[in-house]
């Protein structure tokens, strides 16, 4: 089956939906999402979205906080652009129906998170992402120019180089082959503009607070299509996810520490003052390493987040979702410390894009966590991710519409998917075994603290697994599980490759064999590009 549209959007979080809503005024939009439309990382974002909106705050202060958190390798021109365009995208979100929390005086309530020098985080109680997703999904579902394809997973992008079976001086994206999961049919989506908004890759690691959809699909597909990939070594580990045998890595928002919560050891000792002058509000990389060190030093399975000194009524009102979820697991956060551990959270690297979110494959754009813009550097400042996605959605939209008006779209025909002699698999254990092995060695060897030897071990394992997956992929009919396994294997290889390049410790990449920061040789980005 072949489908034609002006815009193909892969992903249904704030990045994809914001772009789709703007693009729909200029053409037909096909929006592909591999689960229900609301199942995205955006939907799980608790803390909020950072922007300058008070008299006490300034653009310069937000820029400086971002640069400090980014460990010296943020692209300052990108940082300033995103920060200064922030207020306008907030206005857009409000126009689409997002309802941020206001205080008793009717003014938007601003909170503070780690690394921020001012209160600048707009939030909707402690379910900000869910509120943004609700409003944008409602707007998209009501738009006559947007067709939503739920339970569809992109297999691979289609490019002119791929059709020509050789490298071309100018490689253009023509669309994608997409599996209809429920029907088991591969569809060909042809589009003049293709946008990757497929989110991050937390599921590459054993422990993550990401939803199950975060398997790095966009990064893997873009790499296979010939796009440049940057800074994959910088995987942010959120310091505080709920430690409970039945909780599926439930995130305890950084805003809890922003409102005064203190990290403590099992015996009640506060420890963050030993690691940073901002104590519990230090940047995430420092807090995650501190917790990791405390756990290993004292042999504990977790540390504890303590907000019991705050008024219980205030805690319940400010964090109703977190309070209720903890209660469901037998924890009353107004009376008990919350057991927490770090977990893979946010990919600061990704598909390299320019100021307009276009990759070096023409007519292919990437925004949100799948993209590398240069904003985050070596460590993302809390609540800058939703801001980045919204800003780049607007920039991508404007550039894509201009491209539609100027470009010649006499694309070659895209062939339908050919399964060849592939058969249905009766050995899905191969998929589950490799999936589990990748996630375990990535956690153990390529986690919060790394060494050269651990990275070498990880690379040897991923090379063996890649061969096994490649053989399996071409012999059996594709399924969503196989597609995701192929993608996490690719992303794991990219993370390890970039980590092996960087012979220093900076931001989220901490290597015991290279414990210092080397500005002379490494105050720059790493990059990878597939050789055809």
């Amino acid at each position: 089956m072949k489908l034609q549209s002006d815009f193909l959007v892969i992903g249904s979080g704030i990045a994809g939906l914001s772009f789709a809503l703007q693009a729909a005024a200029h053409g037909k939009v096909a929006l592909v999402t591999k689960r229900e439309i609301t199942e995205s990382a955006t939907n799980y974002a608790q803390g909020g979205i950072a922007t300058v909106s008070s008299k006490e705050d300034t653009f310069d202060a937000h820029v400086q906080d971002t640069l400090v958190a980014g460990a010296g390798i943020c692209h300052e021109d990108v940082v300033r652009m995103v920060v200064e365009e922030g207020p306008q995208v907030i206005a857009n979100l409000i126009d689409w129906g997002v309802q941020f929390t206001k205080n008793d005086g009717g003014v938007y309530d601003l909170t503070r998170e780690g690394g921020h020098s001012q209160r600048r985080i707009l939030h909707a109680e402690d379910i900000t992402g869910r509120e943004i997703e609700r409003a944008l999904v409602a707007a998209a579902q009501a738009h006559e120019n947007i067709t939503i394809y739920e339970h569809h997973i992109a297999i691979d992008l289609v490019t002119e180089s791929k059709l020509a079976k050789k490298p071309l001086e100018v490689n253009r994206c023509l669309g994608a082959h997409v599996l209809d999961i429920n029907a088991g049919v591969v569809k060909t989506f042809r589009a003049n503009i293709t946008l990757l908004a497929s989110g991050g890759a937390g599921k590459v690691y054993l422990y993550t607070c990401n939803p199950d959809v975060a398997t790095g699909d966009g990064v893997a597909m873009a790499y296979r299509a010939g796009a440049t990939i940057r800074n994959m070594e910088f995987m942010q580990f959120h310091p505080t996810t709920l430690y409970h045998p039945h909780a599926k890595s439930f995130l305890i928002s950084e805003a809890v520490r922003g409102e005064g919560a203190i990290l403590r050891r099992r015996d009640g000792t506060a420890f963050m003052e030993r690691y940073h002058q901002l104590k519990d509000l230090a940047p995430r990389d420092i807090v995650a390493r501190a917790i990791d060190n405390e756990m290993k030093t004292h042999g504990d399975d977790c540390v504890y987040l303590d907000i019991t000194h705050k008024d219980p009524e205030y805690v319940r009102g400010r964090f109703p979702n977190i309070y209720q979820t903890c209660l469901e697991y037998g924890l009353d956060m107004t009376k008990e410390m919350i057991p927490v551990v770090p977990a893979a959270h946010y990919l600061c690297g990704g598909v390299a894009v320019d100021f307009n979110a276009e990759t070096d494959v023409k007519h292919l754009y990437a925004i949100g966590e799948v993209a590398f813009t240069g904003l985050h550097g070596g460590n993302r400042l809390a609540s800058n991710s939703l801001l980045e996605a919204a800003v780049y959605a607007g920039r991508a939209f404007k550039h894509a519409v201009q491209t539609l008006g100027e470009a010649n779209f006499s694309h070659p025909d895209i062939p339908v998917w050919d399964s060849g002699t592939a058969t249905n698999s009766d050995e899905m254990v191969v998929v589950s075994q490799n999936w589990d092995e990748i996630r375990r060695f990535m956690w153990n060897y390529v986690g919060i603290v790394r060494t050269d030897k651990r990275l070498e071990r990880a690379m040897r394992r991923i090379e063996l697994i890649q061969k096994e997956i490649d053989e399996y992929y071409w012999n059996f009919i594709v399924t969503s599980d196989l597609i995701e396994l192929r993608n996490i294997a690719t992303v794991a290889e990219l993370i390890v490759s970039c980590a092996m390049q960087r012979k220093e410790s900076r931001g989220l990449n901490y290597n015991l064999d290279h414990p210092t920061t080397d500005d002379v040789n490494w105050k720059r980005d790493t990059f990878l590009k597939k050789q055809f």
Side-chain angles (χ1 to χ4, degrees), residues 332-346:
D332 185 341
M333 64 187 288
T334 67
K335 300 176 182 177
E336 304 168 85
M337 297 191 297
I338 308 168
V340 294
V341 291
H345 180 56
Y346 190 90

Side-chain angles (χ1 to χ4, degrees), residues 74-347:
C74 297
H75 296 199
E76 189 167 353
D77 54 347
V78 170
V79 175
R80 185 160 294 280
M81 178 271 290
V82 171
V83 166
E84 292 182 354
E85 292 187 12
Q88 180 56 54
V89 300
I90 295 297
N92 292 344
L93 291 172
I94 293 170
D95 286 344
W96 284 323
V98 177
Q99 298 176 16
F100 293 111
T101 297
K102 296 181 179 180
N103 59 30
D104 293 338
V107 177
Y108 286 116
D109 182 56
L110 301 177
T111 189
R112 184 182 172 196
E113 297 182 352
H116 288 274
S117 59
Q118 297 289 336
R119 285 182 171 268
R120 64 168 67 98
I121 315 299
L122 284 158
H123 66 96
E125 294 182 337
D126 60 346
I127 52 168
T128 308
R130 191 186 305 174
E131 169 58 18
I132 291 173
E133 189 77 5
R134 177 203 63 77
L136 298 187
V137 166
Q141 289 175 330
H143 205 296
E144 62 181 6
N145 269 0
I146 300 176
T147 304
I148 298 165
Y149 297 87
E150 294 182 307
H151 302 285
H152 282 63
I153 180 171
I155 302 171
D156 261 325
L157 300 169
V158 180
T159 66
E160 290 186 328
S161 289
K162 184 175 181 179
L163 294 183
K165 297 182 179 180
K166 65 179 181 180
L168 298 176
E169 188 173 340
V170 177
N171 187 20
R172 292 189 297 173
C173 185
L174 311 176
H177 285 122
V178 177
L179 173 66
D180 180 336
I181 297 171
N182 292 337
V185 174
V186 177
K187 300 175 181 177
T188 302
F189 282 75
R190 178 174 173 175
N192 297 328
I193 299 293
T194 300
L195 175 82
L196 292 172
S198 50
K203 295 294 285 186
V204 173
Y205 285 89
L206 184 61
Y207 301 110
T208 178
C209 50
N210 285 184
D212 288 342
V213 294
T215 51
D217 305 326
V219 174
M221 288 191 298
Y223 176 69
R224 291 194 292 265
T228 299
I229 309 297
R230 291 189 180 275
N231 282 13
M232 292 294 289
E233 69 272 33
F234 295 122
M235 171 63 79
Q236 185 178 78
F237 291 82
H238 197 288
T240 54
T241 55
L242 178 61
Y243 180 72
H244 189 281
H246 303 301
K248 194 175 181 181
S249 297
F250 177 72
L251 184 110
I252 306 297
S253 171
E254 190 157 340
V256 178
R257 282 181 285 129
E259 297 300 334
I262 299 167
L263 284 162
R264 301 184 186 278
R265 294 201 293 263
R266 185 182 297 275
D267 63 6
T269 303
F271 57 82
M272 277 308 303
E273 62 184 10
R274 295 176 46 226
Y275 295 92
H276 198 274
Q277 66 270 22
L278 288 176
K279 300 180 183 177
D280 299 276
L281 285 175
R284 287 179 178 174
D285 60 325
I286 293 167
V287 179
R289 280 202 304 277
I291 293 173
D292 183 70
N293 185 61
E294 291 291 324
M295 289 165 56
K296 288 176 178 173
T297 300
H298 298 279
D300 292 332
D301 293 328
C302 64
V303 297
Y304 294 84
L305 192 61
D306 181 13
I307 198 169
T308 59
H309 52 284
K310 287 286 188 177
D311 177 63
E313 186 176 346
Y314 171 78
V315 172
R316 287 190 291 266
R318 176 64 182 84
F319 304 109
N321 182 54
I322 296 174
Y323 173 77
Q324 188 59 43
T325 301
C326 287
L327 210 58
E328 290 171 6
Y329 293 110
L331 291 164
D332 185 341
M333 64 187 288
T334 67
K335 300 176 182 177
E336 304 168 85
M337 297 191 297
I338 308 168
V340 294
V341 291
H345 180 56
Y346 190 90
L347 181 63

Side-chain angles (χ1 to χ4, degrees), residues 505-523:
S505 289
R506 182 187 299 271
L508 301 165
N509 183 76
Y510 190 79
N511 188 319
L512 290 172
D513 293 318
H514 311 280
T516 59
T517 299
D518 180 2
D519 279 347
V520 173
N521 296 302
W522 287 105
K523 196 173 183 179

